C-alpha cells in the first residue's frame, strides 16, 4: 500500500512500511524512511507507483477549470476527493483525487483551506478581487520586463528617468522602476550606473550630483514662500564709528564688520559689529521657520542656496553706505601693549563705510604694507594695520593655550566659473586659484570672529543664559569638535569657550545664539528670565541635532562638487601629470589642487614622499581620478617631512555608493552596494 501525505505544505508519496495507532513509517522513492502522523496522510492507494501518481496528478491538475470547479463545489466544507468525484466522475480514482488536491491547494483565492484535505469555497467578491490583483501583477511583471528590455537596449523608459535618484539612493525595492533596473543590470551583467548612463538617464554628471543633492536635502524644492522682512522696532542709537567689512566679492550675506577708534590716544576701542536679524525675526515666526528648516546657506562654486530669502537678507546685511542695525562687541585695549581693559556689548545702528573685498585687495593689503615696511595705499590703512597687530597677538595667545602653533600649510582654493551668469549647468570653464590660509585679511577677520564668539560665549555662561557652543576636549587624534549647550574649552581654538554667533544671516545656530545675546544686552543679570531659550530647553538640543546633520550634508556636497570642478579643470586644461605628496595606502594629495586620489605604485612610499603621477583617466559620476606613478621627485633616502594635518582626516578617494542591490530586489534586500 502507498500513501500521499502533507509534509509542511509539500505533497510526498511513498510505500507504507508499517503503521501504528497515530503514525506510520513511509519509504520514499529515494529510499529515505520518514515517520508521518496519520493526520497528515491524505490519500491511501494501491496503484499506480507513487512517482507515477504524482506526475499524472500534476498533469491532470492543470486541466481543472477553477471557475467550473468552484461552481461544482458544495457550499460548506468539503474534501478534495468529494470534489474529484463531482468534477470528474463518481468513480474518480487516486490520480484524479490527487489532481483535485493539488489544484485546490494552489488556488487559495478560490478555495480556502479548512483543515487537512478540507476546503471551503471563497466568496465570489473575494475571487473577483483576487483575480483582478493577479491580472495586475501579471501586467506589472510584463511592464517590468519591458522596461528592463528597453534599458538593456540602450533606451531609458520615462518612469525610470523620473525616479532615477529615488532608485539609486532611496529606493522602494518593491517598486517596478527599481526592479526593472535590477533586472536589466542582471541581464546585461553591467553596473547600474553604467547601464543608466548609456541608456540616457544620466546626461550630465554635474546635473547628476546637483539633482541628487536636491533630491536628498530639498525634496520640496529650493524656492521660498512669500516672506517679508519684519522691521526692527527698537529705537537704536547711532554708533560713533565708521565700520568696514571684509568679504569675498561673491558674498551677499554680509554678517560682520569691524571698526577701530581712538588710534593715537593710548586707548583703542576695537569693534566687532554683527548684523542683527534677531532684533526683528522672532522665534517661531514665519522667517524663523524657514531659517530653521534650512539651517544654513549651502555654498558651491558659482552658486549658493541661501538660508534666508534675498529680500530678508538685504534688509539686515551690512551694506556700505547704510546705518545698519547690529549687535556690537567693543573691546577696549591699551594701544601700546594691546592688553584688554574691558569689553561691552551694545545694540545699535552702525554706519558701514565700506565693504572691502578679499579678491580685490589680497594682493594689495600684504604683511609688508600692514607692518609699515611698504606703502599702504588703500582705505582704512591705519585701522587695518592695528587690526593686523591685534590679530597676531590674539593668535599667539591662543597658540600658547593650544600648546603648539596653528600650521596653515595647506591652502584654500577659490573657484570661478566662466560662461554662465546664472545657475551652473556643468558646461562652464572653471578657474581655480590658490588662497593661502592665514593671509593678512583672513587673519584679521578670523581672529576678530574668534574674539567675539569666545567673549560672548563666556558672557552667556556668566549670566546663566544657555547658548549653543562648540567644544573640543583635546588635540589628541580622533577627538572631534562637538556641539552642546555647555561652555566648555575648545582645544583646537585655544579658547575657554566658543560659540557661533557671528553669521546669523548664514547659520541658524548663530541666529539662535544672537537671540540669547540680545537678551543679555537688554536685561543684564536678569537675562536668564527673559531669554527665548531657558536652561535645558529641548529646543536647543533639537536645533543642535538638526544643524549637525544638515551642516555635514551641505559641507559634504560642497566638497563633492568642488571635486567635480577640480576634475573638470584637469579635463579642460588637458593635464596629464600632477605633482603630489604621498599620504598613506596609495593615496596622494595634489600640490596645487584640492584633490586627494589614489595613485598606483605609491603604496609603499612613506608619508610625505614627493611624487609625479600620470593621469590615466577619470569618472565624473563617481568623482574618481585614475593615476599611476610616473616618478619619485625627492631623495629616496630622505623623503620629505610628513605634513602636519592638525588632526584633519585625509579625504578618502572613494567612489559613489548606491542604495541598490543586484542580489535581491525585494523588500528585505540589504541597503547598499558600491557602484562600479
Amino acid at each position: 500500500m502507498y500513501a500521499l501525505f502533507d509534509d509542511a505544505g509539500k505533497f510526498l508519496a511513498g510505500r507504507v512500511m508499517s503503521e501504528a495507532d497515530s503514525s506510520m513509517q513511509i519509504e520514499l522513492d529515494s529510499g529515505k524512511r520518514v515517520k508521518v502522523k496519520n493526520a497528515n496522510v491524505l490519500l491511501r492507494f494501491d496503484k499506480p507507483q507513487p512517482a507515477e501518481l504524482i506526475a499524472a496528478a500534476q498533469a491532470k491538475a492543470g486541466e481543472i477549470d477553477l471557475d467550473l470547479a468552484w461552481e461544482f463545489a458544495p457550499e460548506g466544507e468539503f474534501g478534495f476527493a468529494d470534489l474529484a468525484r463531482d468534477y470528474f466522475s463518481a468513480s474518480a480514482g487516486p490520480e484524479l483525487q490527487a489532481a483535485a488536491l493539488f489544484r485546490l491547494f494552489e488556488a487559495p483565492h478560490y478555495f480556502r483551506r479548512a483543515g487537512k484535505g478540507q476546503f471551503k469555497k471563497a466568496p465570489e467578491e473575494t475571487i473577483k478581487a483576487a483575480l483582478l490583483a493577479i491580472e495586475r501583477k501579471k501586467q506589472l511583471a510584463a511592464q517590468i520586463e519591458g522596461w528592463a528590455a528597453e534599458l538593456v537596449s540602450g533606451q531609458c523608459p520615462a518612469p525610470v528617468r523620473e525616479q532615477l535618484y529615488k532608485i539609486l539612493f532611496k529606493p522602494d525595492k518593491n517598486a517596478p522602476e527599481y526592479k526593472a533596473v535590477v533586472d536589466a543590470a542582471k541581464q546585461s551583467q553591467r553596473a547600474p550606473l553604467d547601464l543608466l548612463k548609456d541608456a540616457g538617464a544620466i546626461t550630465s554628471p554635474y546635473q547628476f550630483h546637483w539633482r541628487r543633492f536636491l533630491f536628498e536635502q530639498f525634496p520640496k524644492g529650493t524656492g521660498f514662500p512669500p516672506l517679508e522682512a519684519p522691521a526692527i522696532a527698537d529705537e537704536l542709537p547711532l554708533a560713533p564709528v565708521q565700520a568696514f567689512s571684509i568679504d569675498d566679492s561673491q558674498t551677499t550675506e554680509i554678517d560682520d564688520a569691524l571698526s577701530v577708534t581712538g588710534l593715537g590716544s593710548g586707548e583703542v576701542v576695537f569693534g566687532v559689529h554683527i548684523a542683527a536679524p534677531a532684533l526683528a525675526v522672532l522665534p517661531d515666526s514665519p522667517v524663523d521657520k524657514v531659517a530653521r528648516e534650512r539651517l544654513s546657506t549651502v555654498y558651491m562654486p558659482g552658486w549658493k542656496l541661501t538660508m534666508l530669502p534675498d529680500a530678508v537678507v538685504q534688509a539686515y546685511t551690512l551694506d556700505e553706505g547704510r546705518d545698519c542695525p547690529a549687535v556690537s562687541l567693543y573691546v577696549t585695549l591699551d594701544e601700546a601693549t594691546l592688553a584688554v581693559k574691558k569689553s561691552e556689548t551694545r545694540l545699535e545702528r552702525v554706519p558701514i563705510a565700506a565693504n572691502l573685498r578679499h579678491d580685490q585687495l589680497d594682493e594689495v593689503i600684504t604683511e609688508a604694507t600692514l607692518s609699515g615696511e611698504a606703502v599702504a595705499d588703500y582705505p582704512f590703512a591705519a585701522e587695518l594695520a592695528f587690526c593686523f597687530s591685534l590679530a597676531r597677538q590674539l593668535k599667539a595667545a591662543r597658540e600658547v593655550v593650544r600648546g603648539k602653533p596653528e600650521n596653515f600649510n595647506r591652502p584654500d582654493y577659490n573657484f570661478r566659473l566662466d560662461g554662465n551668469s546664472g545657475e551652473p549647468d556643468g558646461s562652464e570653464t572653471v578657474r581655480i586659484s590658490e588662497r593661502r590660509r592665514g593671509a593678512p585679511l583672513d587673519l584679521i577677520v578670523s581672529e576678530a570672529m574668534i574674539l567675539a564668539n569666545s567673549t560672548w560665549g563666556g558672557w552667556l555662561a556668566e549670566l546663566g543664559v544657555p547658548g549653543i557652543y562648540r567644544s573640543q576636549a583635546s588635540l589628541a587624534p580622533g577627538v572631534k569638535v562637538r556641539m552642546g549647550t555647555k561652555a566648555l574649552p575648545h582645544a583646537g581654538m585655544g579658547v575657554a569657550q566658543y560659540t557661533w554667533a557671528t553669521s546669523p544671516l548664514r547659520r541658524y545656530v548663530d541666529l539662535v545664539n544672537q537671540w540669547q545675546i540680545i537678551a543679555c544686552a537688554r536685561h543684564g543679570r536678569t537675562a536668564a528670565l527673559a531669554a527665548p531659550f531657558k536652561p535645558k530647553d529641548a529646543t536647543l538640543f533639537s536645533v543642535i541635532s538638526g544643524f549637525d546633520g544638515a551642516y555635514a550634508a551641505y559641507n559634504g556636497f560642497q566638497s563633492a562638487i568642488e571635486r567635480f570642478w577640480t576634475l573638470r579643470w584637469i579635463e579642460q586644461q588637458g593635464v596629464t601629470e600632477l605633482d603630489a605628496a604621498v599620504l598613506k595606502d596609495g593615496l596622494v594629495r595634489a600640490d596645487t589642487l584640492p584633490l586627494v586620489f589614489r595613485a598606483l605604485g605609491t603604496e609603499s612610499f612613506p608619508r610625505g614622499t614627493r611624487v609625479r603621477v600620470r593621469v590615466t583617466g577619470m569618472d565624473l559620476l563617481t568623482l574618481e581620478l585614475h593615476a599611476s606613478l610616473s616618478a619619485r621627485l625627492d631623495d629616496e633616502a630622505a623623503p620629505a617631512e610628513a605634513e602636519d594635518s592638525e588632526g584633519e582626516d585625509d579625504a578618502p578617494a572613494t567612489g559613489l555608493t548606491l542604495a541598490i542591490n543586484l542580489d535581491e530586489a525585494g523588500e528585505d534586500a540589504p541597503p547598499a552596494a558600491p557602484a562600479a
Side-chain angles (χ1 to χ4, degrees):
M1 184 178 67
Y2 306 112
L4 176 73
F5 62 94
D6 180 359
D7 180 24
K10 184 179 180 181
F11 297 113
L12 302 175
R15 182 187 300 274
V16 177
M17 305 302 295
S18 63
E19 184 174 0
D21 291 339
S22 60
S23 64
M24 60 178 65
Q25 287 281 341
I26 297 178
E27 183 181 57
L28 303 179
D29 285 348
S30 64
K32 180 181 178 181
R33 294 189 178 185
V34 293
K35 183 178 180 181
V36 180
K37 292 182 179 179
N38 288 341
N40 291 338
V41 175
L42 302 174
L43 182 65
R44 299 170 186 246
F45 58 97
D46 294 320
K47 60 180 181 179
Q49 293 289 320
E52 294 175 7
L53 177 131
I54 289 177
Q58 288 174 339
K60 202 66 178 176
E63 300 176 7
I64 297 176
D65 185 308
L66 289 172
D67 290 313
L68 188 60
W70 188 84
E71 292 289 346
F72 272 107
E75 292 302 323
E77 289 187 15
F78 61 90
F80 64 91
D82 299 327
L83 181 67
R85 285 187 284 269
D86 288 340
Y87 186 88
F88 293 109
S89 71
S91 61
E95 295 99 326
L96 296 179
Q97 292 180 30
L101 172 65
F102 295 166
R103 190 62 164 152
L104 289 167
F105 193 83
E106 69 184 15
H109 49 296
Y110 276 92
F111 302 99
R112 294 175 176 173
R113 298 162 195 165
K116 293 295 182 181
Q118 296 293 112
F119 297 89
K120 187 175 182 180
K121 289 169 63 170
E124 187 174 0
E125 296 77 13
T126 301
I127 294 173
K128 289 179 179 179
L131 292 175
L132 183 60
I134 291 171
E135 181 59 29
R136 286 175 179 167
K137 188 174 182 180
K138 288 180 180 177
Q139 292 176 358
L140 190 60
Q143 183 69 83
I144 292 170
E145 184 179 352
W147 285 344
E150 286 186 60
L151 288 166
V152 171
S153 68
Q155 301 294 320
C156 183
V160 173
R161 188 191 308 275
E162 292 164 4
Q163 297 289 319
L164 175 66
Y165 301 99
K166 184 175 182 179
I167 292 168
L168 293 177
F169 302 110
K170 292 184 179 179
D172 170 3
K173 297 191 175 182
N174 289 310
E177 295 86 359
Y178 175 85
K179 290 184 176 181
V181 172
V182 171
D183 288 353
K186 288 179 178 179
Q187 291 176 33
S188 62
Q189 297 186 332
R190 302 184 64 196
L193 206 59
D194 291 339
L195 176 77
L196 290 164
K197 179 182 176 183
D198 289 347
I202 303 169
T203 58
S204 163
Y206 178 82
Q207 290 298 322
F208 175 78
H209 296 296
W210 174 230
R211 298 299 167 189
R212 174 198 174 186
F213 172 72
L214 295 180
F215 167 77
E216 293 179 338
Q217 301 300 324
F218 293 87
K220 297 178 182 178
T222 60
F224 290 102
L227 287 174
E228 291 186 5
I232 295 174
D234 304 59
E235 289 292 333
L236 301 174
L238 184 64
V241 301
Q242 291 294 301
F244 53 90
S245 66
I246 305 173
D247 292 281
D248 191 89
S249 290
Q250 295 177 316
T251 301
T252 56
E253 308 145 289
I254 303 176
D255 290 291
D256 55 85
L258 308 176
S259 68
V260 179
T261 55
L263 288 175
S265 68
E267 187 175 87
V268 176
V269 179
F270 178 61
V272 180
H273 312 283
I274 305 302
L279 287 171
V281 177
L282 301 179
D284 295 323
S285 67
V287 175
D288 170 51
K289 290 177 181 177
V290 167
R292 184 167 179 181
E293 184 175 354
R294 294 212 173 183
L295 292 166
S296 173
T297 290
V298 183
Y299 295 97
M300 67 204 81
W303 197 246
K304 65 181 175 182
L305 298 176
T306 56
M307 181 178 76
L308 294 168
D310 187 62
V312 175
V313 170
Q314 295 311 311
Y316 311 117
T317 189
L318 303 183
D319 266 347
E320 66 182 19
R322 290 168 47 182
D323 298 337
C324 300
V327 179
S328 298
L329 173 67
Y330 288 102
V331 181
T332 303
L333 304 143
D334 181 280
E335 188 171 7
T337 65
L338 300 180
V340 175
K341 293 185 175 182
K342 63 176 181 178
S343 64
E344 64 174 316
T345 298
R346 301 177 195 163
L347 309 179
E348 58 188 5
R349 289 180 295 122
V350 176
I352 307 299
N355 295 141
L356 306 181
R357 302 297 185 177
H358 275 293
D359 47 311
Q360 298 172 4
L361 295 172
D362 270 342
E363 300 301 320
V364 177
I365 303 177
T366 63
E367 187 169 343
T369 62
L370 290 168
S371 62
E373 297 175 8
V375 176
D377 185 16
Y378 44 78
F380 299 98
E383 290 84 352
L384 286 168
F386 177 84
C387 291
F388 185 58
S389 296
L390 176 62
R392 288 197 291 185
Q393 177 150 317
L394 291 171
K395 181 175 183 288
R398 290 191 301 104
E399 288 177 341
V400 170
V401 177
R402 291 179 85 250
K404 64 177 182 177
E406 291 177 317
N407 290 323
F408 298 125
N409 51 14
R410 290 207 299 270
D412 286 332
Y413 291 90
N414 294 321
F415 291 78
R416 296 288 184 271
L417 305 183
D418 297 333
N420 193 340
S421 59
E423 179 183 325
D425 61 17
S427 66
E428 294 80 5
T429 299
V430 59
R431 291 184 289 126
I432 303 176
S433 58
E434 183 177 307
R435 183 170 135 201
R436 174 111 358 223
R437 290 191 287 180
L441 288 180
D442 272 341
L443 183 66
I444 288 171
V445 174
S446 64
E447 290 300 329
M449 298 309 111
I450 293 171
L451 174 65
N453 284 321
S454 59
T455 301
W456 278 330
W459 194 36
L460 289 173
E462 179 186 342
L463 297 180
V465 176
I468 298 177
Y469 293 86
R470 292 175 65 79
S471 63
Q472 186 180 19
S474 76
L475 289 177
V479 178
K480 303 289 187 180
V481 175
R482 306 290 184 188
M483 297 187 74
T485 59
K486 294 184 178 180
L488 299 173
H490 193 306
M493 292 286 188
V495 294
Q497 64 282 313
Y498 188 74
T499 61
W500 261 349
T502 54
S503 294
L505 295 175
R506 294 183 275 186
R507 287 190 304 238
Y508 188 69
V509 167
D510 300 57
L511 181 63
V512 169
N513 281 331
Q514 191 174 82
W515 281 319
Q516 303 296 84
I517 293 167
I518 288 172
C520 294
R522 286 173 172 166
H523 303 282
R525 291 291 173 185
T526 62
L529 300 175
F533 304 103
K534 306 300 187 286
K536 298 183 180 179
D537 194 316
T539 302
L540 290 180
F541 295 101
S542 175
V543 169
I544 290 171
S545 175
F547 182 85
D548 267 343
Y551 203 63
Y554 296 172
N555 284 339
F557 170 70
Q558 182 180 355
S559 297
I561 210 67
E562 287 182 355
R563 185 178 180 90
F564 167 85
W565 284 114
T566 303
L567 296 180
R568 281 285 285 147
W569 183 89
I570 292 174
E571 185 179 64
Q572 290 172 357
Q573 299 296 319
V575 173
T576 58
E577 289 188 327
L578 291 169
D579 290 349
V582 172
L583 297 176
K584 59 181 179 181
D585 302 329
L587 292 178
V588 301
R589 187 190 305 279
D591 287 350
T592 58
L593 291 172
L595 192 62
V596 171
F597 56 97
R598 193 168 300 282
L600 297 177
T602 65
E603 294 82 359
S604 62
F605 291 167
R607 185 182 180 96
T609 303
R610 314 297 305 169
V611 294
R612 179 165 294 153
V613 300
R614 182 183 304 105
V615 176
T616 57
M618 67 177 70
D619 188 326
L620 292 177
L621 284 181
T622 61
L623 300 179
E624 291 177 313
L625 181 72
H626 306 296
S628 60
L629 178 67
S630 176
R632 181 169 180 166
L633 301 180
D634 59 16
D635 183 357
E636 189 169 345
E641 276 188 32
E643 55 183 319
D644 182 2
S645 62
E646 291 291 358
E648 296 179 19
D649 293 331
D650 294 322
T654 56
L656 191 68
T657 299
L658 307 180
I660 188 168
N661 190 288
L662 299 185
D663 295 327
E664 191 172 352
E667 189 174 14
D668 298 324

